[in-house]
Amino acid sequence: MTTSNATVPAQHGMAEHSHGAGVPIQIRSARLRSADVADFGPVSRVEEQYRYITSERLAGLDADTLDEYIGDISIKHPEGVTTAWVGSDHPAFGGAGLPEDRPSAAAWGSAEQAYLVTIPGDAKPDCEVQIGINSETTTPSALHVIIDAKPFSRGTVILDHKGSAVLGENVEIIVGDEAEITVISIQDWDTEAVHNSAQFAKLGRNSKLRHMVVSLGGKTLRVSTSAEFTATGGDVELLGMYFADAGQYIENRLYVDHAVPNCKSRVTYKGALQGDKAHTVWVGDVLIRMAAEGTDTYELNRNLLLTDGARADSVPNLEIETGKIEGAGHASASGRFDDEQLFYLQARGINEREARGLVVRGFLNEIIQKIGNEEIESRLSASIEAELERSGS
Amino acid sequence: MAILQIKNLHVTVETEQGTKEILKGVDLTIRSGESHAIMGPNGSGKSTLAYTIAGHPKYTVTEGEILLDGEDVLEMSVDERARAGLFLAMQYPVEIPGVSVSNFLRTAKTAITGEAPALRTWIKDVRGAMDALKMDSTFTERNVNEGFSGGEKKRHEILQLELLKPKFAVLDETDSGLDVDALKIVSEGVNRAKEANDFGLLLITHYTRILKYIKPDFVHVFVAGKIAEQGGPELADRLEAEGYDRYVKA
Ligand SMILES: Nc1ncnc2c1ncn2[C@@H]1O[C@H](COP(=O)(O)OP(=O)(O)OP(=O)(O)O)[C@@H](O)[C@H]1O
Ligand SMILES: [Mg+2]
C-alpha cells in the first residue's frame, strides 16, 4: 500500500503553501540505480528527478563523460585519519550507494579514482576533518569522495566547496556499526559555479549520522542526499540551509530509505529566497518498507520568501508500507515574510531593515545552531549577513 | 512633562466585505504620570485604538490626529513612534523563531537609545527586572515568545516596558489570562516602571481586579468605536456591577 498524508501546521505568515503532488509519481524504491551513465536517458521534465532542473542549468554535467577533477583538494585532519586515492576496485568504492540520475552517473563513471578518507574506530568526537575543494576550472569535471567512518568512530567531516567550478560530484558516506558522525557539505562557490552533488549515506547498526547541506553561493546548486539503513537502531538527521539570490537555482533532494526495523530519521531544511527568479526546490522522499517496523520519521521544509518574484517548490513524499511504526509525518510550508513579526520588532524601535535581518537570521539560525561547531556557526552567520547585505535588506 | 493627544480619530480596516469603520471619533488626552483605564465590550475597537497609536499597517486613519508633544505621530513609521517614546504591550505578542530574548532586548534597547547599552550594567538591569517579574533567568536564552505560556508572554511585555522606558505605554489586556499571583507581579512591574519613568499609561482591560493594583486617575467607557463616558475610578466599579447594557442600548 502506498499512502501519503500531509500535515501542514498552521503557522503565522506561512500562508502560501506550495504543496506539490502528495502522491509519489512512481514507487520510490523502483527508481533505477546504476553506475553506468548509458542506463540513464536525457535530462527531461517528464522524469521525476529532473522535474525542475534543465539540461541547460546543468551546464554539461549531464554529458556522457566529464573531465576528471584536477582542482585543488586541501585536507586537514588529526592523526589516525588516513586519506588515499583509490580505484573503483576498492571495496569502499560504491560502498554507500549507486547513482540515481544522469549527472550523478556521469560523474561516477568519469572519476577513475575516489578520494577516500578513513576515520578509524578509535576516533573521538573532537576528530575534525576538513576537506577543501577549491576549484578554478570551468570545464565540467567529476569528483568522487568516500568517507569511511569505521565502526565505533566519532567525528566530523566538513566538505568545503569554493571557487569557480562546473562540478559533478559523488560523496559516499559509510557509517559503520555504532559510529556517530557529522558530515557538513558547504556550497559557497563563486556566483557562476554549477554543482551537482549526490551524497549517499549507508548506516550500520546503532549508528548515527548528522548530515548537513549548506548552499549559499553558485548559479546552480543541486544536492541529492540519500540515507539507507542496513541494520536496526540507526539514526539519521538530515539538515539543510540555503539562501537563494536573484537568478540563483538551489535544489535539494532527500531520500530516506527505511528498509529495516527501529530506525529514526529527521529531515529539516530551511531556506530563504530573495530577489527576482531566485528559485529553490526541495523534494523529500521517505520510504518506510514493509520490514521497517518501529520506524520514527519526520521531515520538514520551510521557505521564507523575502521578496516578490522568488519561487520555492516544496514536495514531501511519504510512502508507508507498514502500519506498525512509531510515527511518520511531514510538514512543508513556504510563506511570505511575516508582517506581524516585523510589526512587533518595529514597535520596539528596531528599523525595518534590521528587523528583517533579525527575522531571517532567526529563521535560519535554527539550523545553524544544530551544527555544534562554533567556528562553522560564526562563519555561516557571517555568510548570511553578507547575503542580506548583498540584497540590500 | 509629555502629552499624547488623540483627536477625533476615525479608523477603518479592510475586510472581505469591504472597508469597515471601527473607530468613529476618539478623543483622548494623556499626560505624563496619568493612568487612564479603558473598558468596553468585545469588538468595540479598543485594540484597534492601541494598534493605531503604534502604527500597525492594517489600520487606516481616515480622519483626526495623534500628537506626541505636538509632533504628528501619524507621519511616523512604527519604529519611529517607538523611538519617540510610544510603547504597546500587545494583547497577542508574536513569536519570533530563532531570535533570543537577550538578543532582542539588546537590539531594541540599542535602537531606542541610539547606542548599545554598557554591557555590564545592562546585564544587571535585565536580570534585576526579570527577578522582580519572577521570570527565570533561562528566558533570555529562549526565542522571543516561542513556547511562552500566556502569562509568560505578558511578563515579557512588561519586562520590555521596564527596560525600554517609554514616555507613554499602552497595555492591551495585559491582565487577561493571568493567575492571581501573576496579576500582582505584573501590576507591580507596571507600577515600578511608572514610578521610575513617570510615563503616561493607557490600560485596556475587561476586569476591575487589575485596577486594585494599578489605580487609574481616569476611566473611559469604550463602546462602538468611541468613548461613551468618562469618569474616575468609581466608574469602573459601576461597570463591573451593571455591565455595558446602558451604553450599548443607548
Ligand atoms: N482585519 C480585520 N478584519 C475584519 N474585522 C476587523 C479586523 N480588525 C478588526 N476588526 C473588527 O473590528 C472590531 C474591533 O476589534 P478590536 O480588536 O479593536 O476590538 P476590542 O475592543 O479590542 O475587542 P476585545 O475586547 O475582544 O479585545 C471587531 O469587530 C473586529 O472584528
Ligand atoms: Mg482587544
Side-chain angles (χ1 to χ4, degrees):
Chain A
M1 190 188 68
T2 300
T3 59
S4 173
N5 63 331
T7 45
V8 183
Q11 221 222 355
H12 222 131
M14 292 290 181
E16 289 171 26
H17 301 288
S18 69
H19 232 270
V23 182
I25 284 163
Q26 93 197 116
I27 307 287
R28 187 59 180 82
S29 54
R31 194 173 294 173
L32 172 71
R33 295 172 141 211
S34 167
D36 186 357
V37 69
D39 290 341
F40 294 94
V43 169
S44 121
R45 293 257 148 129
V46 298
E47 294 208 52
E48 164 53 30
Q49 45 285 48
Y50 320 125
R51 206 161 122 198
Y52 300 94
I53 192 92
T54 57
S55 177
E56 192 191 345
R57 274 257 174 223
L58 286 165
L61 291 176
D62 54 341
D64 288 341
T65 52
L66 315 175
D67 283 3
E68 194 140 5
Y69 176 78
I70 47 154
D72 197 37
I73 295 187
S74 65
I75 178 114
K76 249 166 77 178
H77 63 80
E79 222 172 294
V81 172
T82 57
T83 65
W85 286 97
V86 300
S88 57
D89 54 340
H90 191 281
F93 204 112
L98 277 177
E100 284 197 316
D101 63 22
R102 174 163 257 280
S104 171
W108 193 283
S110 303
E112 300 256 305
Q113 296 205 303
Y115 190 69
L116 172 66
V117 177
T118 306
I119 303 175
D122 59 0
K124 298 283 175 288
D126 63 357
C127 170
E128 185 178 300
V129 181
Q130 291 184 30
I131 306 170
I133 292 150
N134 227 324
S135 163
E136 293 302 335
T137 168
T138 51
T139 32
S141 321
L143 176 65
H144 195 138
V145 175
I146 305 170
I147 298 161
D148 190 3
K150 293 297 184 192
F152 296 96
S153 62
R154 301 283 184 273
T156 300
V157 179
I158 300 156
L159 273 163
D160 201 349
H161 303 90
K162 276 189 205 158
S164 58
V166 178
L167 183 68
E169 184 187 45
N170 288 295
V171 178
E172 296 191 73
I173 305 163
I174 302 163
V175 188
D177 292 349
E178 311 282 343
E180 288 180 22
I181 295 296
T182 297
V183 174
I184 303 170
S185 179
I186 302 172
Q187 288 69 239
D188 200 2
W189 301 101
D190 295 346
T191 45
E192 288 306 307
V194 176
H195 185 201
N196 186 86
S197 182
Q199 312 207 351
F200 311 88
K202 192 168 251 181
L203 285 95
R205 183 172 33 85
N206 296 332
S207 69
K208 254 188 181 170
L209 170 68
R210 170 180 291 202
H211 181 270
M212 172 141 181
V213 174
V214 180
S215 293
L216 298 168
K219 190 174 176 188
T220 300
L221 303 174
R222 182 173 182 263
V223 182
S224 311
T225 302
S226 63
E228 185 185 336
F229 296 104
T230 61
T232 60
D235 181 337
V236 71
E237 185 169 24
L238 305 177
L239 301 165
M241 186 197 99
Y242 44 95
F243 198 132
D245 291 324
Q248 207 180 356
Y249 178 89
I250 298 177
E251 176 173 329
N252 283 287
R253 287 185 168 266
L254 288 305
Y255 176 33
V256 183
D257 186 355
H258 282 274
V260 294
N262 302 320
C263 291
K264 179 180 164 185
S265 60
R266 291 288 179 270
V267 179
T268 316
Y269 270 64
K270 283 185 145 192
L273 296 84
Q274 178 151 257
D276 197 35
K277 300 213 166 63
H279 186 187
T280 66
V281 173
W282 178 88
V283 180
D285 294 340
V286 174
L287 169 62
I288 304 173
R289 294 182 196 249
M290 191 75 87
E293 293 181 3
T295 289
D296 178 4
T297 179
Y298 194 82
E299 57 170 348
L300 174 145
N301 173 232
R302 283 202 197 298
N303 298 293
L304 184 58
L305 290 99
L306 301 173
T307 57
D308 289 335
R311 170 177 162 188
D313 288 291
S314 182
V315 188
N317 289 315
L318 194 49
E319 267 180 78
I320 307 175
E321 294 174 353
T322 171
K324 295 180 190 153
I325 54 170
E326 278 289 307
H330 65 201
S332 137
S334 301
R336 300 269 328 228
F337 192 88
D338 184 351
D339 291 331
E340 293 300 324
Q341 294 181 347
L342 195 61
F343 173 72
Y344 188 78
L345 294 170
Q346 283 190 272
R348 298 304 179 245
I350 301 164
N351 70 38
E352 180 176 346
R353 186 191 152 119
E354 201 176 342
R356 280 183 184 276
L358 263 183
V359 172
V360 175
R361 261 174 269 140
F363 177 77
L364 296 175
N365 254 347
E366 205 188 325
I367 304 287
I368 297 180
Q369 282 163 359
K370 289 193 178 183
I371 300 174
N373 176 317
E374 264 181 49
E375 203 181 310
I376 300 229
E377 283 175 24
S378 53
R379 184 180 141 195
L380 294 183
S381 297
S383 301
I384 293 173
E385 223 54 48
E387 293 273 0
L388 283 166
E389 202 61 39
R390 201 177 311 163
S391 355
S393 166
Chain B
M1 169 71 90
I3 181 164
L4 180 67
Q5 293 164 292
I6 297 165
K7 296 180 184 172
N8 188 33
L9 192 68
H10 289 254
V11 169
T12 60
V13 64
E14 292 310 317
T15 74
E16 273 159 30
Q17 288 78 41
T19 307
K20 181 179 166 192
E21 183 167 62
I22 300 172
L23 298 189
K24 299 170 179 165
V26 179
D27 289 293
L28 187 64
T29 298
I30 308 171
R31 294 179 176 78
S32 300
E34 292 178 355
S35 293
H36 295 247
I38 288 190
M39 305 185 79
N42 294 131
S44 57
K46 304 179 301 296
S47 291
T48 301
L49 175 63
Y51 276 127
T52 304
I53 295 171
H56 195 291
K58 204 167 74 180
Y59 302 96
T60 311
V61 176
T62 53
E63 218 185 314
E65 52 185 354
I66 303 178
L67 302 173
L68 173 59
D69 293 332
E71 299 271 341
D72 186 357
V73 169
L74 297 177
E75 281 296 303
M76 302 179 195
S77 65
V78 177
D79 48 301
E80 281 167 352
R81 294 178 198 207
R83 292 198 295 273
L86 298 178
F87 180 88
L88 168 62
M90 316 237 182
Q91 186 173 1
Y92 305 108
V94 298
E95 300 184 357
I96 309 191
V99 178
S100 72
V101 167
S102 73
N103 182 13
F104 164 67
L105 292 175
R106 201 172 355 93
T107 307
K109 184 67 181 176
T110 305
I112 298 257
T113 58
E115 57 179 354
L119 208 55
R120 197 176 286 164
T121 48
W122 174 246
I123 288 173
K124 223 177 77 203
D125 289 352
V126 173
R127 206 165 284 163
M130 288 179 72
D131 281 350
L133 287 166
K134 301 224 161 35
M135 291 177 78
D136 197 277
S137 61
T138 54
F139 266 93
T140 54
E141 300 313 316
R142 291 176 61 177
N143 294 331
V144 174
N145 293 320
E146 202 176 59
F148 287 22
S149 74
E152 287 163 352
K153 284 183 183 165
K154 298 303 176 74
R155 283 178 211 227
H156 181 233
E157 294 293 290
I158 299 310
L159 174 67
Q160 296 165 53
L161 171 67
E162 290 206 61
L163 294 169
L164 300 180
K165 308 188 195 308
K167 286 185 193 156
F168 291 94
V170 180
L171 309 190
D172 191 2
E173 293 199 31
T174 300
D175 56 333
S176 291
L178 293 182
D179 65 44
V180 276
D181 296 330
L183 179 68
K184 187 158 177 281
I185 290 162
V186 163
S187 302
E188 284 168 0
V190 175
N191 288 333
R192 210 166 35 243
K194 195 154 173 299
E195 202 128 302
N197 306 307
D198 198 40
F199 54 72
L201 174 66
L202 185 61
L203 183 77
I204 297 169
T205 183
H206 285 294
Y207 309 104
T208 50
R209 51 175 204 167
I210 192 172
L211 303 179
K212 293 196 175 65
Y213 298 106
I214 304 172
K215 297 272 182 243
D217 304 304
F218 307 93
V219 173
H220 308 269
V221 185
F222 207 85
V223 181
K226 55 174 149 193
I227 291 170
E229 190 177 356
Q230 336 203 12
E234 74 289 343
L235 182 54
D237 296 325
R238 204 180 76 208
L239 288 176
E240 180 138 273
E242 299 176 9
Y244 300 110
D245 262 11
R246 73 152 90 192
Y247 303 104
V248 177
K249 279 178 190 143

